[in-house]
Amino acid sequence: MKTVKTHLILSCLIFCFLSCDKQKEHKTEQTVTVQPEMVLDLVALQTKNKLGKDTVVTVINDPVYHKTKKYQAVDALLLLKKEVDLSKVDIKNTLIVFECIDGYKPEMPLELFLKTKSFLAFKDVDAPKGSNWEKILKNGNEMNADPFYLVYTSVSADNQEYKWPYNVIKFHLESKNKNIEALQPKDDKTAMKGFGLYQKHCITCHAINGIGGEMGPELNYPKSVTEYWKENELVDYIVNPASFRNKVKMPTLGITKQESQNIVDYLKYMSEKKAEIRN
Ligand code: HEC
């Protein structure tokens, strides 16, 4: 009885998992060709005096200083809108990435960033004489927030979705599908066909070069499956995994032999394009 129940729950879970992912994949397919990455060089804009008017903002319960703070700042949202034509940006599928001096790059959905007021603080009103900032203590080191610290006046400090980076030098706008684009065989029409099918049926469970799901094994790195499977058997396996393995976890996906061949052609193409696993 217990196992029946577990099975039922499991099947529901797998069904939800697959159907949710279907929707996601659909979106990805439509937006694979996105705008090129856009960069806002804040330091360069400051040098050119193009940051806009500065004001004093009050941040209650600042998450870096853990108290209420006042900063001299410019309006970050206004600046972004002035420098980037947002009507040309696919906002739902874009991330805003904050590049910091040490290479730290926190990111958040652009859509969320656009929802609230944000400010680039460049001077701490309570800073001791001769300094722009009250010291920040981090892992026993004294830091300051130069050149910019991104703050919000109406976001609670414990809202983890909003990022409060200091030492910020640039904003980037990046496609959420940038990783997917790295798997695209741009210069090969045949492989492109298989890539479309791969995205639709496989990527939620399998990674190529570390990009993709983790439920099934990585298919390309360090060895491509096309290097240790016989090609015709690989094609058959993908059509019907259960004909090869007992109690196989990979589902039969209802793809044709021709489609499977296209996918294998794509996998062969990618076997020439191995990359170090990311993340
Ligand atoms: C729901 C998740 C899922 C999906 C979708 C899926 N697989 Fe799998 N796949 C697995 C799992 C799990 C395994 C590990 C073996 C098993 O089935 O137990 C596997 C194994 C494999 C293997 C054998 C790897 C090896 O060396 O043993 C290949 C090749 C493969 N999958 C290709 C594909 C391709 C191509 C697609 C898309 C058409 C796909 N899979 C879709 C989960 C999935």
Side-chain angles (χ1 to χ4, degrees):
M1 190 60 206
K2 219 177 182 175
T3 38
V4 173
K5 228 182 186 171
T6 326
H7 267 106
L8 254 173
I9 295 172
L10 262 180
S11 325
C12 285
L13 275 177
I14 290 174
F15 177 75
C16 286
F17 172 70
L18 289 175
S19 39
C20 298
D21 279 333
K22 281 258 160 55
Q23 286 177 355
K24 247 193 260 160
E25 282 157 18
H26 196 64
K27 261 195 215 151
T28 334
E29 263 177 310
Q30 288 171 337
T31 52
V32 147
T33 47
V34 284
Q35 76 267 356
E37 186 182 316
M38 278 180 256
V39 181
L40 234 70
D41 185 334
L42 303 171
V43 180
L45 287 168
Q46 185 178 41
T47 316
K48 291 185 210 150
N49 247 329
K50 286 175 90 178
L51 287 178
K53 260 204 292 198
D54 54 283
T55 49
V56 171
V57 295
T58 303
V59 177
I60 297 173
N61 247 329
D62 182 286
V64 169
Y65 289 98
H66 307 289
K67 56 182 175 180
T68 297
K69 293 286 292 174
K70 278 190 165 62
Y71 303 106
Q72 267 178 280
V74 294
D75 189 321
L77 191 55
L78 214 64
L79 177 67
L80 180 70
K81 286 182 175 164
K82 200 176 76 190
E83 294 295 324
V84 178
D85 182 356
L86 288 175
S87 70
K88 295 210 170 72
V89 175
D90 178 6
I91 290 168
K92 277 201 163 35
N93 289 302
T94 301
L95 297 172
I96 182 161
V97 182
F98 310 109
E99 185 181 336
C100 303
I101 290 174
D102 60 358
Y104 175 56
K105 281 187 179 177
E107 61 182 41
M108 61 185 278
L110 178 61
E111 198 177 15
L112 206 62
F113 185 78
L114 297 179
K115 275 195 186 138
T116 190
K117 276 184 168 300
S118 54
F119 297 89
L120 275 172
F122 58 89
K123 193 175 186 327
D124 182 341
V125 170
D126 308 314
K129 269 217 165 79
S131 165
N132 275 345
W133 306 94
E134 233 186 307
K135 289 276 174 256
I136 299 167
L137 277 177
K138 197 183 168 197
N139 309 327
N141 293 320
E142 286 193 348
M143 321 256 304
N144 72 47
D146 270 339
F148 299 106
Y149 170 32
L150 182 69
V151 301
Y152 309 86
T153 46
S154 44
V155 170
S156 153
D158 45 44
N159 182 343
Q160 301 283 324
E161 289 184 303
Y162 282 87
K163 307 298 170 189
W164 298 68
Y166 48 89
N167 301 142
V168 184
I169 49 176
K170 286 176 186 165
F171 287 178
H172 298 240
L173 297 188
E174 284 182 10
S175 162
K176 282 187 186 169
N177 303 318
K178 203 171 156 225
N179 280 349
I180 307 283
E181 284 169 56
L183 299 184
Q184 212 176 346
K186 297 182 184 73
D187 53 345
D188 186 316
K189 276 232 170 77
T190 326
M192 196 64 205
K193 229 188 213 172
F195 172 65
L197 291 161
Y198 184 82
Q199 255 192 292
K200 197 163 163 205
H201 296 291
C202 324
I203 201 165
T204 48
C205 290
H206 291 281
I208 286 181
N209 295 344
I211 299 164
E214 292 185 347
M215 190 175 164
E218 153 83 41
L219 297 179
N220 199 51
Y221 184 89
K223 264 193 191 258
S224 160
V225 285
T226 61
E227 290 165 333
Y228 60 84
W229 278 77
K230 285 191 206 135
E231 184 165 342
N232 60 331
E233 297 199 339
L234 186 55
V235 171
D236 289 344
Y237 178 87
I238 292 166
V239 171
N240 185 5
S243 66
F244 283 72
R245 286 180 179 157
N246 193 23
K247 296 189 180 161
V248 76
K249 291 192 206 82
M250 175 164 155
T252 298
L253 297 156
I255 57 177
T256 65
K257 197 160 175 174
Q258 180 55 53
E259 288 172 327
S260 180
Q261 182 65 56
N262 290 342
I263 293 171
V264 169
D265 288 342
Y266 167 64
L267 292 173
K268 281 200 296 196
Y269 170 93
M270 288 309 286
S271 70
E272 313 273 307
K273 307 245 181 309
K274 286 183 189 165
E276 285 283 333
I277 309 256
R278 304 181 184 198
N279 302 325

